[in-house]
């Protein structure tokens, strides 16, 4: 697929947003929602990860697409809860992009948490872009969440971890614990560190009753996953 064909497909794709609840583990009530995006191209659902791998080579198209997507995510979100929005640092590198997102986020900052996502690359350039994005968000006093902590292929950065209000523990932890219970002690240590640092933890990947029973025994703040209800908007 060439760049022209890809751009045409992306701009004309049907766009889905699922709002997945984030549950307070102690009260068992909904604390917030995360907006999760998918695109339908030729009747096939394609993950945002697949789309974004292409978009990282086209910053202008990536920025324009995310402007549309974030506006729709906000517009179609009726709940009076916090909304976690995934942001890739690569769409906030130029002065134009920073000016746009500053205005967009400032109007919503009391209800928005920016999830800082990775593009799958751990090279020095990507690390610097993410670090600068985190620094920029903190300077604007916008709450952030470090997404997918512990995911395969993700980079670990004390700076990124220390600069985030929320730490989202990747679902791979629960999957590993299913195979080897020794990893439970590792997870407990991470959760203790997060709490001692005055941060808030969110365990992702709660998909079964067994998962939920396990996380209720842990000293975490919030949980998230397919075990809980979600609703979907199609545009």
């Amino acid at each position: 697929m060439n760049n022209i064909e890809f751009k045409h497909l992306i701009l004309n794709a049907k766009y889905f947003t699922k709002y997945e609840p984030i549950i307070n583990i102690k009260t068992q009530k909904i604390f917030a929602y995360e907006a999760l995006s998918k695109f339908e191209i030729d009747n096939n659902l394609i993950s945002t990860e697949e789309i974004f791998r292409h978009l990282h080579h086209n910053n202008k198209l990536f920025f324009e697409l995310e402007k549309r997507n974030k506006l729709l995510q906000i517009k179609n979100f009726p709940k009076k809860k916090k909304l976690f929005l995934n942001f890739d640092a690569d769409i906030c590198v130029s002065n134009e992009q920073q000016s746009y997102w500053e205005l967009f986020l400032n109007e919503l900052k009391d209800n928005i948490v920016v999830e800082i996502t990775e593009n799958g690359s751990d090279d020095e350039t990507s690390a610097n872009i993410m670090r600068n994005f985190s620094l920029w968000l903190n300077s604007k006093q916008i709450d952030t969440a470090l997404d997918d902590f512990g995911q395969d292929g993700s980079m670990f950065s004390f700076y990124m971890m220390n600069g985030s209000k929320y730490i989202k523990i990747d679902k791979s932890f629960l999957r590993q614990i299913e195979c080897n219970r020794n990893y439970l002690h590792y997870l407990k240590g991470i959760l203790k560190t997060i709490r001692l640092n005055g941060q808030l933890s969110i365990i992702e990947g709660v998909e079964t009753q067994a998962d939920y029973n396990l996380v209720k025994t842990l000293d975490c703040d919030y949980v998230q996953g397919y075990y809980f209800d979600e609703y979907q908007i199609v545009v």
Side-chain angles (χ1 to χ4, degrees):
M1 184 188 303
N2 61 42
N3 289 334
I4 295 176
E5 291 173 328
F6 178 73
K7 182 177 181 179
H8 175 77
L9 285 174
I10 291 300
L11 293 178
N12 292 281
K14 186 179 290 185
Y15 172 73
F16 294 78
T17 295
K18 292 183 177 182
Y19 297 93
E20 190 170 274
I22 298 172
I23 308 297
N24 184 309
I25 194 68
K26 294 181 175 63
T27 66
Q28 300 184 30
K29 294 181 179 179
I30 295 174
F31 163 68
Y33 287 85
E34 179 185 352
L36 301 172
S37 303
K38 287 186 180 295
F39 301 85
E40 185 178 281
I41 299 177
D42 296 331
N43 296 317
N44 294 313
L45 284 178
I46 299 178
S47 70
T48 53
E49 289 81 7
E50 293 177 79
I51 296 295
F52 289 172
R53 272 197 292 272
H54 290 278
L55 289 172
H56 279 109
H57 301 289
N58 190 330
N59 180 262
K60 184 176 180 180
L61 178 60
F62 196 3
F63 175 55
E64 292 301 320
L65 180 66
E66 280 295 81
K67 284 168 60 178
R68 183 195 74 172
N69 293 348
K70 295 296 179 281
L71 285 171
L72 291 172
Q73 288 172 350
I74 294 296
K75 178 182 177 181
N76 294 308
F77 183 67
K79 303 292 184 179
K80 293 183 179 179
K81 302 285 185 182
K82 281 189 179 294
L83 181 62
F84 282 59
L85 292 176
N86 288 283
F87 271 78
D88 193 300
D90 283 354
I91 61 168
C92 192
V93 291
S94 70
N95 290 333
E96 174 196 359
Q97 292 168 357
Q98 288 184 352
S99 296
Y100 177 85
W101 293 123
E102 180 176 2
L103 180 62
F104 178 85
L105 292 169
N106 273 338
E107 294 179 355
L108 306 162
K109 65 191 305 181
D110 291 337
N111 298 312
I112 292 294
V113 177
V114 172
E115 288 198 29
I116 303 176
T117 61
E118 293 187 47
N119 61 21
S121 174
D122 60 355
D123 60 47
E124 186 174 348
T125 300
S126 296
N128 286 335
I129 290 173
M130 288 182 64
R131 180 186 176 96
N132 290 337
F133 184 47
S134 176
L135 182 63
W136 179 80
L137 289 167
N138 288 334
S139 73
K140 305 303 176 183
Q141 298 181 314
I142 297 168
D143 287 344
T144 63
L146 180 59
D147 195 20
D148 298 330
F149 179 83
Q151 182 185 59
D152 286 348
S154 63
M155 71 175 182
F156 175 80
S157 165
F158 281 113
Y159 179 86
M160 295 294 298
M161 188 173 184
N162 292 336
S164 300
K165 181 175 181 178
Y166 302 88
I167 308 296
K168 302 193 75 177
I169 307 297
D170 187 67
K171 62 184 179 181
S172 59
F173 273 93
L174 293 183
R175 304 290 78 83
Q176 286 296 323
I177 290 169
E178 290 175 354
C179 302
N180 184 344
R181 295 286 293 187
N182 291 332
Y183 284 105
L184 181 59
H185 302 289
Y186 188 26
L187 178 55
K188 287 180 177 179
I190 292 170
L191 292 171
K192 183 177 180 179
T193 301
I194 292 170
R195 183 167 297 280
L196 290 172
N197 284 341
Q199 298 165 302
L200 297 166
S201 58
I202 302 172
I203 297 180
E204 299 180 296
V206 179
E207 300 175 354
T208 65
Q209 183 67 53
D211 289 341
Y212 189 45
N213 291 340
L214 173 61
V215 296
K216 285 192 294 185
T217 69
L218 300 173
D219 190 19
C220 66
D221 298 292
Y222 306 104
V223 294
Q224 180 181 354
Y226 295 131
Y227 179 73
F228 308 102
D229 291 336
E230 61 185 24
Y231 64 95
Q232 176 173 294
I233 300 293
V234 180
V235 179

